[in-house]
Amino acid sequence: MTAVDERPAPAAAPPPRRPNRLWALLRNSWRQLTSMRTALLLLFLLAVAAIPGSVLPQRSVNAENVAGYFREHPDLAPVLDRLGGFEVYGSPWFAAIYLLLFTSLIGCIVPRLLDHARALRTVPPDAPRRMARLPQFAPAQERTDDPADAARAAAAVLRKRRFRTVVREGEGGAWTVSAEKGHLKETGNLLFHLALIAVLIGVGFGHWYGWHGNRLLVRGADQGFCNSVTQYDEWSLGPRVEAADLPFFCLRLHDFEAAFQPSGQPKEFDAAVEVRERQDGAWRRARFTVNDPLRLSGANVHLLGHGYAVELRYTDRYGAQQTKIVPFLPRDGMFTSEGVAQFPDVNIDPKTNRRDENLQVGFEGVYLPTVDPKGGPASVFPEEKDPVLFLSAYRGNLGVDAGLPGSVYALDRAQLVSGKLKQVSGHRPQRLTPGQSWTLDDGTKLEFVGTRPFATLAVRSDPTQSLVLGGAVLGLIGLMLSLAGHRRRLWFRITPRDGSGSLMEAGGLPRTDYPGFDEEFDQIVGAARGRSEGTP
């Protein structure tokens, strides 16, 4: 009879699990994004993406320059506008690069930070069995002292050189000394990348919550201004800042002192201002210079430059007088300055109280703080030693009533081309010194009263300035530590010798590229063997 096998048949092996392709794609994409190579690539792309913001005019800085670019390049400008060329730092593609770099740095640093923390808590490993295979090796030499004393002496030499040292007792009376140094290199790397993240955060939040404005401020209590967007010549607010969020303060330029070298090179600028930081507060005096800004609550006032404002008094054909204080902008280092004084509200008939727009008057000219005694068309020194003003008179329609934006430092050339504004015939540029007057052909008179200094100010608020500065300093420290640090390990094995004494061998392993490790290894081994023998 044939025996029947009643054992149950083995269960079939389960089918292999199919990998989740979506999960694998996400995992591999995350690893690629958080790699150091990707972080460096994104940092390079961020620098390249910022180039258009420096080359092309930006609406947040100067909308007039953007409008001028559209007029000069009518075909190219709309294409660049659709690509965000005139709002680079607020464009989606720039924000995408910025956020990807931020994510890449965090994903790259966090695992390295955890690994570095574990490495700092981990003691150096015991000496390998075959130290002769290490890059640096010192063969065993006979010692006259006990193995334990030799191990303690070698450990003392290593600790003196700031190695983390562990002494272990092995089998058969043998002792080992393990030492490690160079964790500051990785600490510097992590510190540099953490500082980079701090700088990115500071720049981002500074752009969102910061603001700035430029103002040309003439000396005098009647020429002051308060912190409002309508009071600035140019201004820009961050995306998270409203005009009502600006802190309150008022400024008046009390005095301005400028010192020059005999060659005309500037030596020192010093602005004295009066400041009021509360609505009902009192005015206080303050001084600041080019490299030492005026620090107010919520803003800093920087001194960018200075020049001269010409004070002119015009008497029209009906005897009415108007006074203008007009800044003349320097065009060279000797402060040869150009400017325009426009009088649109003159020659109003007192009987009808009506103004003839064709009797508006404008003066265009050049101011020389120190006129060239040889009759040259430029100033020969920036300080007012022999001031002269050359002016040309124009009468007609200045074009200021059209409601179109225009420059306050030049006449409307379109009005001159159309003939609506004409130069007063029979008059070449008139030469005036302070106190002199000029009578025009219709009996009106212009008086050159004098000049006042003006200062060009930049008022800026950056709430994350300290964070960016701290990140830059920490980044520099981290870079120095990273370049100066070299991780390496050393081991000593001391075994008892037959009879008395001991045998000492040593090995070393550089964990990073360190050209001077062989010399350092020889010095440490020599010092350890010398001390173990009792020599100084």
Side-chain angles (χ1 to χ4, degrees):
M1 180 180 293
T2 304
V4 179
D5 189 357
E6 296 181 353
R7 290 177 299 177
R17 295 181 59 185
R18 298 182 60 184
N20 190 325
R21 295 185 178 181
L22 178 61
W23 174 250
L25 177 63
L26 293 176
R27 183 180 63 244
N28 294 332
S29 300
W30 175 254
R31 289 176 178 175
Q32 186 67 27
L33 177 62
T34 56
S35 65
M36 185 56 63
R37 178 179 299 177
T38 303
L40 293 175
L41 178 61
L42 289 172
L43 185 61
F44 174 75
L45 287 178
L46 188 69
V48 173
I51 294 177
S54 302
V55 175
L56 299 175
Q58 301 296 296
R59 283 196 177 92
S60 60
V61 178
N62 194 324
E64 293 184 3
N65 290 346
V66 176
Y69 194 91
F70 269 81
R71 291 191 298 268
E72 296 175 2
H73 305 85
D75 297 329
L76 179 61
V79 177
L80 295 176
D81 193 23
R82 286 194 295 269
L83 297 176
F86 303 111
E87 295 177 352
V88 169
Y89 305 111
S91 61
W93 51 270
F94 189 87
I97 299 176
Y98 194 90
L99 292 177
L100 283 175
L101 175 60
F102 192 80
T103 304
S104 178
L105 287 174
I106 293 179
C108 177
I109 289 175
V110 170
R112 290 180 60 180
L113 187 62
L114 297 177
D115 292 340
H116 187 56
R118 283 192 294 267
L120 291 176
R121 295 195 305 268
T122 304
V123 297
D126 199 359
R129 293 181 178 273
R130 301 177 181 178
M131 287 197 294
R133 296 183 176 181
L134 295 174
Q136 296 294 328
F137 175 68
Q141 288 189 0
E142 297 182 357
R143 303 289 118 195
T144 59
D145 49 358
D146 183 75
D149 294 337
R152 285 190 290 269
V157 171
L158 291 167
R159 292 192 182 101
K160 186 177 180 180
R161 294 174 177 262
R162 299 180 181 179
F163 278 81
R164 293 197 319 164
T165 307
V166 178
V167 180
R168 298 180 176 89
E169 183 179 5
E171 298 178 356
W175 290 76
T176 59
V177 180
S178 304
E180 188 175 28
K181 187 178 181 181
H183 285 288
L184 283 179
K185 183 177 183 64
E186 182 65 11
T187 302
N189 282 329
L190 293 174
L191 185 61
F192 175 79
H193 290 89
L194 289 173
L196 185 58
I197 291 178
V199 171
L200 290 175
I201 294 175
V203 171
F205 278 87
H207 172 70
W208 285 346
Y209 296 98
W211 58 269
H212 75 271
N214 296 333
R215 169 75 186 213
L216 191 150
L217 185 60
V218 181
R219 184 187 67 186
D222 57 337
Q223 300 294 316
F225 80 101
C226 292
N227 188 29
S228 172
V229 293
T230 59
Q231 297 288 304
Y232 287 109
D233 302 325
E234 295 179 354
W235 55 272
S236 175
L237 303 181
R240 303 293 188 271
V241 181
E242 301 292 338
D245 297 333
L246 270 61
F248 175 83
F249 63 84
C250 296
L251 280 179
R252 296 189 306 212
L253 183 61
H254 176 71
D255 194 12
F256 188 91
E257 297 178 359
F260 301 92
Q261 302 285 353
S263 61
Q265 295 295 323
K267 182 169 60 176
E268 183 180 4
F269 295 154
D270 189 3
V273 295
E274 295 177 338
V275 187
R276 186 173 68 183
E277 298 189 67
R278 297 193 306 272
Q279 292 280 359
D280 56 348
W283 292 89
R284 65 178 179 86
R285 294 283 181 89
R287 305 186 74 91
F288 62 102
T289 61
V290 174
N291 296 320
D292 185 15
L294 175 63
R295 304 186 186 278
L296 303 176
S297 177
N300 294 330
V301 183
H302 301 264
L303 179 60
L304 300 183
H306 83 289
Y308 301 101
V310 175
E311 185 173 358
L312 301 173
R313 182 182 297 119
Y314 178 73
T315 305
D316 65 14
R317 60 182 61 187
Y318 298 105
Q321 292 185 343
Q322 287 190 17
T323 301
K324 296 278 187 177
I325 301 174
V326 185
F328 273 49
L329 301 183
R331 71 182 186 189
D332 58 27
M334 296 301 169
F335 282 70
T336 302
S337 306
E338 298 177 341
V340 167
Q342 303 185 68
F343 294 90
D345 299 320
V346 295
N347 295 320
I348 299 177
D349 190 344
K351 296 180 180 180
T352 61
N353 200 27
R354 293 183 178 179
R355 181 193 64 176
D356 188 350
E357 64 179 12
N358 294 320
L359 294 180
Q360 297 175 352
V361 182
F363 298 90
E364 186 177 50
V366 177
Y367 175 68
L368 310 179
T370 304
V371 66
D372 189 350
K374 299 179 181 179
S379 174
V380 295
F381 197 76
E383 192 175 351
E384 290 183 311
K385 294 186 175 183
D386 188 9
V388 171
L389 178 63
F390 291 93
L391 287 178
S392 296
Y394 296 84
R395 186 183 297 119
N397 190 339
L398 295 172
V400 297
D401 299 328
L404 300 176
S407 174
V408 297
Y409 302 107
L411 294 175
D412 190 347
R413 297 300 165 187
Q415 298 297 102
L416 293 172
V417 173
S418 65
K420 295 181 180 180
L421 184 65
K422 299 180 180 179
Q423 185 174 359
V424 176
S425 60
H427 289 285
R428 300 176 60 187
Q430 183 71 20
R431 186 182 192 272
L432 298 173
T433 58
Q436 287 186 336
S437 60
W438 175 23
T439 302
L440 277 67
D441 57 354
D442 59 351
T444 60
K445 185 174 65 173
L446 180 73
E447 182 182 356
F448 178 21
V449 180
T451 61
R452 298 186 188 185
F454 71 78
T456 306
L457 306 180
V459 184
R460 299 185 178 274
S461 175
D462 188 356
T464 58
Q465 182 179 14
S466 300
L467 179 60
V468 174
L469 177 61
V473 173
L474 289 179
L476 181 60
I477 295 175
L479 184 61
M480 294 173 62
L481 291 176
S482 176
L483 295 176
H486 302 282
R487 192 173 177 187
R488 61 271 196 198
R489 287 176 177 173
L490 281 82
W491 293 275
F492 287 89
R493 177 179 287 114
I494 304 97
T495 56
R497 190 180 59 179
D498 294 340
S500 62
S502 60
L503 295 174
M504 174 186 288
E505 62 177 348
L509 174 65
R511 302 294 302 275
T512 58
D513 186 17
Y514 183 17
F517 179 66
D518 52 350
E519 182 179 355
E520 181 186 30
F521 177 79
D522 294 338
Q523 292 177 356
I524 293 175
V525 171
R529 287 174 172 173
R531 287 197 58 177
S532 65
E533 292 177 345
T535 58

